[in-house]
Amino acid sequence: MAFVNSILLLNQLNQVVVIASGYNTCDYIYDSSSDASQLGPENGKMPSLYSNLLQKLEDFMIKDEKLGKEQSQRAIKSSLLSGSMSMALCYIQRVFRSGPFHPQPRILCLQGSPDGPEQYVAVMNAIFSAQRSMVPIDSCYVGAHNSAFLQQASYITGGVYVKPQHLDGLFQYLTTVFATDLHSRSFIQLPRPAGVDFRASCFCHKTTIDMGYICSVCLSIFCNHHKKCSTCGSVFGQAQSDTSSASDLKRKAPET
């Protein structure tokens, strides 16, 4: 909340939208353009901005937990990163078309849960959409291991990927790295990841693979050779099935 407030204080034209991403749903929990009129003291303790945001976040968690009980449990507990990215891109496109201003939007993904291989296609489509719209995706991953999805998102869109070594200094990472506007980034030395995990997920078992088969028609990825593509129905022959490494999979990532 301190980071959100610092972004708004940097420039009076700045706008912040917070999207919560759970295991089963995504939702907007704060929009500075619509909640600006609600700023003020509440019971003499906490500004209503913070209390409203916390209340919406708590309601969202209760809703997400309730949906989780109604739906079948997935093998890997991963947040709906693809859904929240898509909602952010839709909001940005609406801002682009709503007025004469030409903002410089960017997306910051703050994630702690592991990647969900079953979301590979949807996440990659969102990443390519952001790239075409020239919207950088910054990533701050606070989980145990690096996120291949967020590494690829930041690399492809020209954003910044950071995995904080000390969570006690999270606010310092947020303000010194992610609060920097796009113009200032051209003359500031920002942290760069040591490497990017370009591995893809197969369409048949939704698992991360190093080597796989790619349909030459729709670019679907499979871990084993199939006689027929389950996505487009193309029949594979000796000359129609390509075997590619992880780096090739990145370049041939599907766009559906």
Side-chain angles (χ1 to χ4, degrees):
M1 292 186 294
F3 171 67
V4 170
N5 198 32
S6 65
I7 292 291
L8 297 176
L9 289 174
L10 287 175
N11 193 310
Q12 62 179 352
L13 297 179
N14 283 357
Q15 181 180 344
V16 176
V17 177
V18 180
I19 301 175
S21 178
Y23 292 144
N24 307 284
T25 184
C26 305
D27 198 6
Y28 298 98
I29 61 173
Y30 175 70
D31 186 346
S32 61
S33 62
S34 59
D35 295 349
S37 59
Q38 301 180 7
L39 293 176
E42 181 177 334
N43 298 329
K45 295 181 179 180
M46 183 182 294
S48 58
L49 180 154
Y50 297 152
S51 59
N52 290 340
L53 193 153
L54 289 175
Q55 183 60 46
K56 290 181 180 179
L57 182 59
E58 183 177 355
D59 295 342
F60 170 81
M61 295 177 65
I62 295 175
K63 175 184 175 182
D64 186 69
E65 185 178 1
K66 182 178 180 181
L67 290 174
K69 295 179 180 179
E70 297 174 355
Q71 300 175 2
S72 59
Q73 297 294 326
R74 288 176 294 179
I76 301 177
K77 280 289 187 179
S78 59
S79 63
L80 294 179
L81 178 63
S82 58
S84 56
M85 279 186 174
S86 300
M87 292 177 66
L89 290 170
C90 289
Y91 188 95
I92 289 172
Q93 291 299 323
R94 187 172 63 186
V95 172
F96 277 149
R97 303 175 184 180
S98 61
F101 298 103
H102 298 281
Q104 292 184 322
R106 46 202 166 107
I107 299 174
L108 170 61
C109 297
L110 179 63
Q111 183 175 335
S113 58
D115 294 335
E118 72 279 358
Q119 300 183 58
Y120 173 74
V121 176
V123 170
M124 294 306 299
N125 284 338
I127 293 174
F128 292 137
S129 297
Q131 183 188 35
R132 284 195 298 267
S133 302
M134 293 185 292
V135 178
I137 299 179
D138 297 331
S139 307
C140 182
Y141 189 71
V142 295
H145 305 284
N146 283 307
S147 168
F149 286 170
L150 294 183
Q151 283 183 335
Q152 295 183 44
S154 298
Y155 178 82
I156 294 174
T157 61
V160 181
Y161 176 87
V162 172
K163 186 179 184 301
Q165 299 297 324
H166 305 285
L167 293 183
D168 294 340
L170 180 60
F171 177 69
Q172 180 178 349
Y173 285 100
L174 293 175
T175 53
T176 57
V177 177
F178 301 111
T180 311
D181 59 77
L182 299 181
H183 173 70
S184 301
R185 292 186 179 188
S186 60
F187 51 84
I188 290 181
Q189 189 68 29
L190 295 173
R192 296 296 177 185
V196 180
D197 187 356
F198 287 121
R199 290 182 300 170
S201 298
C202 67
F203 284 34
C204 44
H205 301 98
K206 311 299 181 183
T207 57
T208 304
I209 58 176
D210 297 301
M211 297 284 292
Y213 295 87
I214 300 180
C215 173
S216 58
V217 177
C218 66
L219 300 183
S220 296
I221 304 170
F222 304 97
C223 57
N224 297 312
H225 184 270
H226 295 265
K227 296 182 178 179
K228 185 178 181 181
C229 177
S230 59
T231 304
C232 65
S234 299
V235 178
F236 293 147
Q238 289 298 107
Q240 287 184 310
S241 180
D242 300 329
T243 305
S244 300
S245 63
S247 59
D248 293 329
L249 296 182
K250 176 258 175 183
R251 291 193 294 270
K252 297 181 180 181
E255 255 183 290
T256 59

